[in-house]
Structure formats: C-alpha cells, structure tokens
Amino acid sequence: MSVLNIRISYSACILYVLPRIHSHVRLPLLQVVLKNVSRLCHAKPIVTVNGKFPGPTIYVTEGDNVFINVTNNAQYNMSIHWHGLKQFRNGWADGPAYITQCPIQSGQSYAYNFTVAGQRGTLWWHAHILWLRATVYGAIVIVPKNGTFPFPQPYKEAKLVLGEWWNGDVEEAVKKGNKLGLPPATSDAHTINGKSGPLFPCSKKHTYALEVESGQTYLLRIINAALNDELFLTIAGHNMTVVEIDAVYVKPFTTNTLIITPGQTTNVLVSADRSPGRYFIGARAFMDAPITVDNKTAMAILQYKGVPNTAIPITPKLPASNDTELVTSYNKKLRSLNTAEFPANVPLTVDRKLFYTIGLGQNACPTCLNGTKLTASLNNISFVMPKIGLLQAHYYKIKGVVAFNSTVELVLQDTNLLSVESHPFHLHGFNFFVVGSGVGNFDKTKDPAKFNLVDPPERNTIAVPTGGWTAIRFRADNPGVWFMHCHLELHTMWGLKMAFVVENGKGPNESVIPPPADLPKC
C-alpha cells in the first residue's frame, strides 16, 4: 500500500484522517501504553491507546481501505476488535484473541488491514482479551460516501461513550474473584467520555460538558462501552430522535429515554430548543433480575452557549433500574428504514434453524470459597478458550459446520439454572435481523407466526430479555470463524461464548483470504 499524505489532529481525542489518494487510508501508529489517570480521588496506571482515555476516535469514509498498525507497549498481551465491522473474508483483522488471532505480545506489533464496505455510521473498537476493554476503547465513525444522511442534516455532532471505572486494578479484581469462585467487585462508577460527573468525589474537573447553541440540532453518537451493565440514558428537558443503531439507519422515533446494552451504538438527534441553561445528561444501569450491578448514576452536562458555569443544572428523571416495561416498549419501536437505498434484506426462508439455551450455573471448585465456582453456558456447554487462533485451525483445513451463503435462524433462550438475566449477544462478522422477541419460553409453533420479516431492526448486538428469548436471522455469506458471545465481560469470562465456522464458497472471491505475514504467534 502506498504511503499517503495525511493531516492528523489529536484534539479532543480524535484522529482525523484526510487522504489525498482516494479510498486508501493509513492511520498513524496506535500505541498501547500505560498512563496514570485519576478519578474519584484515586490515581492509578491504566492501559490506554496513545495515552487517551477513552481512546482516539477513528474517522474513515465508507469504501476506504484502512491500515492500522498497533504496537503493544503494555505488560499485558493485547488484541483489538473493530466492533461491528464485517471484515468480509478477512477474519485476520477481526481481533478477538485466540479466535481469529493470537494476541499481540508485549513489545510486538500487528497491522490491522481491512476495507470498510457497505457500512456507514457509528461503531467502536476495544480490547478483546482479559478485561482490558475497561479502559481500551474508542469510537469509529464511518462517514457516508456521499456525505449525507437520510434525516435532517445536523448542525454539529458529538460522541457520548459510556463506560465503567474501577478505583482498583481491574485485572487484580478479576483474579481475586476467580480464586474465590465469585464475581469480581462491581465498578465504582459509570462514566460518560471517561468522566463520572458531579455525584462522585473529586469530580469538579471530571464532568463532560457538551456546549450547544439555541435553535440548532445535534447528532449524538452514543456507545455503550461498559463491561457489564445495560444503561438507560436521559437528557433533562430534552427529547431524542433515534435515527441509527449499530451503524444501520432506522425509522426515526422520539423518546426521552433510551436503553443501550454493552456493545451497542445508537445515534440520536437532539434539538437545543429549551430555555438556555444547563441540563444534566444521566446514565444509570438497567437490571430487572436480583443481581448486583453498579447502580450509581453518571452525569454529563448539556450546556447552552453563553450560560455561566455557575448555573445549577436541571436534573433528569431517570427510570427505575428495573423498568422492564420501558425497555420492552423502546425495543418495539426499533424498525429498519427499509427503503430502496437502504433495504432490509431479511432472509424469508431458512436453511439452518438453531436453538441455544443460555444458562448460569455452578461447577465444583475445591479450592474456591464455597467449594464451587460460577460458570455460564450455551446449550449446557461452557466454552474453553483454545491455545491458538481458531481461524488458523480452520484455514488449515479443519472442516466447517455452516455452508457458505446458508440462511440461518438462531433462537437464544434465557434459562433459570441459577438465575435469569438479560444477556447482550454480539455476533462478529455479520449483521443480523432481530425478527422476534418475547418473555418466557419460545414456542416454536406459535411464536414464528409473529415474526417481523418486513422491517425488523438490523444490528450486531442484541439483548436477550431476562427469562425470555430473541430470534435472529442472517445470511452466512462471510467465510471464516466468527465469535458469538455475551457482551457482559463477566459472562464471557465464565464461558458464555461460541464460534460459528462458515465454510468457503466457490472460488477465491468467496473464500477466506490468506493470513498476513505479521499475524501474531501464540
């Protein structure tokens, strides 16, 4: 790939990439480094990319070929997942450790090389090994190739990246929990753009403020980068118009509260049409099961231009943490745009029907505190991580299980082995259509008759409701090995994960490309 003329600005943690050669983008080196950061009166070294928390935003244009060189200068092995990018035939750039690549060893580098095809909107990137995505994450913005949106052009845009903060060392907390056979301690705060807001100690300079001008409309790109919590988000006094989810346009609808699960992205339009003032933006956890979560509320501020910082912000009315009815109502409003330009190509017939049960349970552990340890499973199988990348094993002739271009219907059913809980599942390498969802047990006779096969939401991460089910459909037209897992890091760690193997089709254009020469070794 030829070297490009690139202008780079690091202001506001953004990488602006302005190539002169059409469709080829070489981003600057991404350095994984330790950085001392202080939050909630606690200072500690955290793993970051380029010393930023959250990490830099990556801007590309639909159709670009992207080259990102990642150098690991931290003490942990590292891999980066470009969450939601389909990586057609190119699982080598997908990033989950031991699934599509061995991790980048400390002191080593790996170049992620991929094409952004047929996608536009907001996605994100994050570490995909251990619990390192607690601090290693950032936004991806894919600019439409024609530069326009199928909704009113906003005056400006901003990002709200939601996360979690631990006062202590996250990896040490995980090790301690595993040794005891129990969950590690919950986070000490939620964050908005890395800042917890004024409800926490030492927060005067750790509150994110978004300045707006009266009468203007803004596009907010919202990402849930939290490890373990689904989150409500509300802006005091203002409505939000939802226009995109997981980089797919939807039929616009207005809401005063949105629900966003770990791994999901949501774009909304917000009009600065209220009395000039300061308005809190609040984020707090949704949990409708008897399970401990971080229930503290993070706050940012939407501030009208010209209003002094001494003005007391208006507080939003956030829903109850167990408001299942609101979540169900919100999700029912999500519909694909389904226009000639942005069709919803829902598979109407299905070649493979799969039914997976989701379970949380216990296994014997003589050295653990109570003689047991917590585990998670799909169809009563808890995934054990391999020692080499599964994609390598597949590429070197291990037989696949899903034929190329098959249409797949997958029903995910939450069960009550130990406790029911909502589970946000992410499928790598594909988008899927959420054709149905419900409470209780899936009825294979009655429930399919209610499926939406016209304009269901299309996305890459979906929350299976507590004690309920979700049905998705997709076309297996991307050969390779593709991870599917719960995006609650706690459950992934316990084994709530699997991999789809999609066989090659006919000829090289339907086959996995050869691995790059610098693919990390285990």
PDB file of all heavy atoms in Angstrom, residues 436-456:
ATOM      1  N   GLY A 436     -37.814 -11.436  16.132  1.00  0.00           N
ATOM      2  CA  GLY A 436     -38.792 -11.686  17.176  1.00  0.00           C
ATOM      3  C   GLY A 436     -38.163 -11.705  18.549  1.00  0.00           C
ATOM      4  O   GLY A 436     -36.954 -11.941  18.690  1.00  0.00           O
ATOM      5  N   SER A 437     -38.973 -11.468  19.567  1.00  0.00           N
ATOM      6  CA  SER A 437     -38.504 -11.483  20.944  1.00  0.00           C
ATOM      7  C   SER A 437     -39.706 -11.642  21.848  1.00  0.00           C
ATOM      8  O   SER A 437     -40.823 -11.249  21.495  1.00  0.00           O
ATOM      9  CB  SER A 437     -37.751 -10.185  21.274  1.00  0.00           C
ATOM     10  OG  SER A 437     -37.169 -10.252  22.540  1.00  0.00           O
ATOM     11  N   GLY A 438     -39.508 -12.231  23.025  1.00  0.00           N
ATOM     12  CA  GLY A 438     -40.634 -12.415  23.929  1.00  0.00           C
ATOM     13  C   GLY A 438     -40.185 -12.848  25.303  1.00  0.00           C
ATOM     14  O   GLY A 438     -39.005 -13.145  25.534  1.00  0.00           O
ATOM     15  N   VAL A 439     -41.129 -12.892  26.220  1.00  0.00           N
ATOM     16  CA  VAL A 439     -40.855 -13.352  27.578  1.00  0.00           C
ATOM     17  C   VAL A 439     -41.247 -14.811  27.697  1.00  0.00           C
ATOM     18  O   VAL A 439     -42.015 -15.335  26.893  1.00  0.00           O
ATOM     19  CB  VAL A 439     -41.625 -12.506  28.621  1.00  0.00           C
ATOM     20  CG1 VAL A 439     -41.152 -11.072  28.590  1.00  0.00           C
ATOM     21  CG2 VAL A 439     -43.122 -12.586  28.378  1.00  0.00           C
ATOM     22  N   GLY A 440     -40.672 -15.485  28.695  1.00  0.00           N
ATOM     23  CA  GLY A 440     -40.967 -16.904  28.879  1.00  0.00           C
ATOM     24  C   GLY A 440     -40.260 -17.766  27.859  1.00  0.00           C
ATOM     25  O   GLY A 440     -39.272 -17.355  27.235  1.00  0.00           O
ATOM     26  N   ASN A 441     -40.769 -18.968  27.663  1.00  0.00           N
ATOM     27  CA  ASN A 441     -40.144 -19.920  26.751  1.00  0.00           C
ATOM     28  C   ASN A 441     -40.639 -19.733  25.319  1.00  0.00           C
ATOM     29  O   ASN A 441     -41.829 -19.483  25.085  1.00  0.00           O
ATOM     30  CB  ASN A 441     -40.426 -21.354  27.200  1.00  0.00           C
ATOM     31  CG  ASN A 441     -39.721 -21.703  28.489  1.00  0.00           C
ATOM     32  OD1 ASN A 441     -38.656 -21.157  28.787  1.00  0.00           O
ATOM     33  ND2 ASN A 441     -40.303 -22.588  29.277  1.00  0.00           N
ATOM     34  N   PHE A 442     -39.722 -19.859  24.376  1.00  0.00           N
ATOM     35  CA  PHE A 442     -40.048 -19.763  22.965  1.00  0.00           C
ATOM     36  C   PHE A 442     -40.959 -20.916  22.555  1.00  0.00           C
ATOM     37  O   PHE A 442     -40.703 -22.082  22.877  1.00  0.00           O
ATOM     38  CB  PHE A 442     -38.762 -19.801  22.147  1.00  0.00           C
ATOM     39  CG  PHE A 442     -38.963 -19.811  20.655  1.00  0.00           C
ATOM     40  CD1 PHE A 442     -39.395 -18.675  19.995  1.00  0.00           C
ATOM     41  CD2 PHE A 442     -38.721 -20.958  19.917  1.00  0.00           C
ATOM     42  CE1 PHE A 442     -39.572 -18.666  18.622  1.00  0.00           C
ATOM     43  CE2 PHE A 442     -38.892 -20.969  18.543  1.00  0.00           C
ATOM     44  CZ  PHE A 442     -39.324 -19.821  17.893  1.00  0.00           C
ATOM     45  N   ASP A 443     -42.038 -20.588  21.849  1.00  0.00           N
ATOM     46  CA  ASP A 443     -42.968 -21.581  21.322  1.00  0.00           C
ATOM     47  C   ASP A 443     -42.724 -21.705  19.826  1.00  0.00           C
ATOM     48  O   ASP A 443     -43.074 -20.797  19.059  1.00  0.00           O
ATOM     49  CB  ASP A 443     -44.413 -21.163  21.603  1.00  0.00           C
ATOM     50  CG  ASP A 443     -45.429 -22.240  21.234  1.00  0.00           C
ATOM     51  OD1 ASP A 443     -45.251 -22.901  20.192  1.00  0.00           O
ATOM     52  OD2 ASP A 443     -46.405 -22.416  21.990  1.00  0.00           O
ATOM     53  N   LYS A 444     -42.101 -22.811  19.411  1.00  0.00           N
ATOM     54  CA  LYS A 444     -41.704 -22.954  18.009  1.00  0.00           C
ATOM     55  C   LYS A 444     -42.894 -23.074  17.064  1.00  0.00           C
ATOM     56  O   LYS A 444     -42.738 -22.948  15.845  1.00  0.00           O
ATOM     57  CB  LYS A 444     -40.776 -24.151  17.835  1.00  0.00           C
ATOM     58  CG  LYS A 444     -41.413 -25.492  18.119  1.00  0.00           C
ATOM     59  CD  LYS A 444     -40.412 -26.624  17.906  1.00  0.00           C
ATOM     60  CE  LYS A 444     -41.030 -27.991  18.157  1.00  0.00           C
ATOM     61  NZ  LYS A 444     -40.065 -29.082  17.954  1.00  0.00           N
ATOM     62  N   THR A 445     -44.091 -23.297  17.611  1.00  0.00           N
ATOM     63  CA  THR A 445     -45.290 -23.386  16.777  1.00  0.00           C
ATOM     64  C   THR A 445     -45.967 -22.032  16.630  1.00  0.00           C
ATOM     65  O   THR A 445     -46.335 -21.620  15.530  1.00  0.00           O
ATOM     66  CB  THR A 445     -46.285 -24.403  17.371  1.00  0.00           C
ATOM     67  OG1 THR A 445     -45.649 -25.678  17.481  1.00  0.00           O
ATOM     68  CG2 THR A 445     -47.523 -24.515  16.497  1.00  0.00           C
ATOM     69  N   LYS A 446     -46.118 -21.315  17.747  1.00  0.00           N
ATOM     70  CA  LYS A 446     -46.893 -20.072  17.739  1.00  0.00           C
ATOM     71  C   LYS A 446     -46.038 -18.818  17.475  1.00  0.00           C
ATOM     72  O   LYS A 446     -46.468 -17.912  16.771  1.00  0.00           O
ATOM     73  CB  LYS A 446     -47.636 -19.912  19.068  1.00  0.00           C
ATOM     74  CG  LYS A 446     -48.665 -21.007  19.328  1.00  0.00           C
ATOM     75  CD  LYS A 446     -49.355 -20.779  20.674  1.00  0.00           C
ATOM     76  CE  LYS A 446     -50.393 -21.857  20.953  1.00  0.00           C
ATOM     77  NZ  LYS A 446     -51.048 -21.659  22.278  1.00  0.00           N
ATOM     78  N   ASP A 447     -44.847 -18.751  18.062  1.00  0.00           N
ATOM     79  CA  ASP A 447     -44.085 -17.501  18.020  1.00  0.00           C
ATOM     80  C   ASP A 447     -43.587 -17.120  16.625  1.00  0.00           C
ATOM     81  O   ASP A 447     -43.598 -15.923  16.279  1.00  0.00           O
ATOM     82  CB  ASP A 447     -42.921 -17.570  19.005  1.00  0.00           C
ATOM     83  CG  ASP A 447     -43.387 -17.431  20.447  1.00  0.00           C
ATOM     84  OD1 ASP A 447     -44.381 -16.712  20.682  1.00  0.00           O
ATOM     85  OD2 ASP A 447     -42.779 -18.054  21.335  1.00  0.00           O
ATOM     86  N   PRO A 448     -43.147 -18.067  15.769  1.00  0.00           N
ATOM     87  CA  PRO A 448     -42.690 -17.659  14.436  1.00  0.00           C
ATOM     88  C   PRO A 448     -43.754 -16.940  13.608  1.00  0.00           C
ATOM     89  O   PRO A 448     -43.418 -16.137  12.724  1.00  0.00           O
ATOM     90  CB  PRO A 448     -42.275 -18.981  13.784  1.00  0.00           C
ATOM     91  CG  PRO A 448     -41.878 -19.840  14.943  1.00  0.00           C
ATOM     92  CD  PRO A 448     -42.843 -19.488  16.027  1.00  0.00           C
ATOM     93  N   ALA A 449     -45.020 -17.207  13.886  1.00  0.00           N
ATOM     94  CA  ALA A 449     -46.093 -16.541  13.146  1.00  0.00           C
ATOM     95  C   ALA A 449     -46.117 -15.044  13.427  1.00  0.00           C
ATOM     96  O   ALA A 449     -46.689 -14.262  12.651  1.00  0.00           O
ATOM     97  CB  ALA A 449     -47.443 -17.167  13.516  1.00  0.00           C
ATOM     98  N   LYS A 450     -45.494 -14.615  14.526  1.00  0.00           N
ATOM     99  CA  LYS A 450     -45.470 -13.201  14.900  1.00  0.00           C
ATOM    100  C   LYS A 450     -44.177 -12.503  14.464  1.00  0.00           C
ATOM    101  O   LYS A 450     -43.994 -11.320  14.737  1.00  0.00           O
ATOM    102  CB  LYS A 450     -45.620 -13.060  16.414  1.00  0.00           C
ATOM    103  CG  LYS A 450     -46.829 -13.780  17.006  1.00  0.00           C
ATOM    104  CD  LYS A 450     -46.760 -13.743  18.529  1.00  0.00           C
ATOM    105  CE  LYS A 450     -47.782 -14.667  19.151  1.00  0.00           C
ATOM    106  NZ  LYS A 450     -47.611 -14.750  20.628  1.00  0.00           N
ATOM    107  N   PHE A 451     -43.278 -13.227  13.804  1.00  0.00           N
ATOM    108  CA  PHE A 451     -42.004 -12.625  13.402  1.00  0.00           C
ATOM    109  C   PHE A 451     -42.233 -11.442  12.459  1.00  0.00           C
ATOM    110  O   PHE A 451     -43.106 -11.473  11.590  1.00  0.00           O
ATOM    111  CB  PHE A 451     -41.125 -13.652  12.694  1.00  0.00           C
ATOM    112  CG  PHE A 451     -40.456 -14.645  13.610  1.00  0.00           C
ATOM    113  CD1 PHE A 451     -39.690 -15.672  13.078  1.00  0.00           C
ATOM    114  CD2 PHE A 451     -40.577 -14.566  14.990  1.00  0.00           C
ATOM    115  CE1 PHE A 451     -39.063 -16.598  13.894  1.00  0.00           C
ATOM    116  CE2 PHE A 451     -39.962 -15.486  15.814  1.00  0.00           C
ATOM    117  CZ  PHE A 451     -39.198 -16.505  15.272  1.00  0.00           C
ATOM    118  N   ASN A 452     -41.416 -10.420  12.616  1.00  0.00           N
ATOM    119  CA  ASN A 452     -41.397  -9.289  11.687  1.00  0.00           C
ATOM    120  C   ASN A 452     -40.375  -9.593  10.599  1.00  0.00           C
ATOM    121  O   ASN A 452     -39.167  -9.548  10.835  1.00  0.00           O
ATOM    122  CB  ASN A 452     -41.030  -8.005  12.425  1.00  0.00           C
ATOM    123  CG  ASN A 452     -40.931  -6.810  11.486  1.00  0.00           C
ATOM    124  OD1 ASN A 452     -41.222  -6.899  10.298  1.00  0.00           O
ATOM    125  ND2 ASN A 452     -40.494  -5.681  12.022  1.00  0.00           N
ATOM    126  N   LEU A 453     -40.852  -9.900   9.399  1.00  0.00           N
ATOM    127  CA  LEU A 453     -39.973 -10.201   8.273  1.00  0.00           C
ATOM    128  C   LEU A 453     -39.990  -9.075   7.233  1.00  0.00           C
ATOM    129  O   LEU A 453     -39.498  -9.251   6.118  1.00  0.00           O
ATOM    130  CB  LEU A 453     -40.389 -11.519   7.619  1.00  0.00           C
ATOM    131  CG  LEU A 453     -40.377 -12.754   8.541  1.00  0.00           C
ATOM    132  CD1 LEU A 453     -40.821 -13.992   7.774  1.00  0.00           C
ATOM    133  CD2 LEU A 453     -39.008 -12.963   9.152  1.00  0.00           C
ATOM    134  N   VAL A 454     -40.524  -7.919   7.617  1.00  0.00           N
ATOM    135  CA  VAL A 454     -40.623  -6.783   6.701  1.00  0.00           C
ATOM    136  C   VAL A 454     -39.565  -5.729   7.012  1.00  0.00           C
ATOM    137  O   VAL A 454     -38.761  -5.365   6.160  1.00  0.00           O
ATOM    138  CB  VAL A 454     -42.032  -6.155   6.758  1.00  0.00           C
ATOM    139  CG1 VAL A 454     -42.108  -4.919   5.857  1.00  0.00           C
ATOM    140  CG2 VAL A 454     -43.085  -7.171   6.357  1.00  0.00           C
ATOM    141  N   ASP A 455     -39.564  -5.225   8.244  1.00  0.00           N
ATOM    142  CA  ASP A 455     -38.623  -4.156   8.598  1.00  0.00           C
ATOM    143  C   ASP A 455     -38.059  -4.341  10.011  1.00  0.00           C
ATOM    144  O   ASP A 455     -38.022  -3.385  10.804  1.00  0.00           O
ATOM    145  CB  ASP A 455     -39.285  -2.786   8.476  1.00  0.00           C
ATOM    146  CG  ASP A 455     -40.502  -2.629   9.379  1.00  0.00           C
ATOM    147  OD1 ASP A 455     -40.913  -3.634  10.016  1.00  0.00           O
ATOM    148  OD2 ASP A 455     -41.034  -1.505   9.478  1.00  0.00           O
ATOM    149  N   PRO A 456     -37.592  -5.548  10.360  1.00  0.00           N
ATOM    150  CA  PRO A 456     -37.025  -5.728  11.692  1.00  0.00           C
ATOM    151  C   PRO A 456     -35.724  -4.944  11.843  1.00  0.00           C
ATOM    152  O   PRO A 456     -35.057  -4.632  10.852  1.00  0.00           O
ATOM    153  CB  PRO A 456     -36.766  -7.235  11.754  1.00  0.00           C
ATOM    154  CG  PRO A 456     -36.514  -7.622  10.340  1.00  0.00           C
ATOM    155  CD  PRO A 456     -37.443  -6.748   9.531  1.00  0.00           C
TER     156      PRO A 456
END
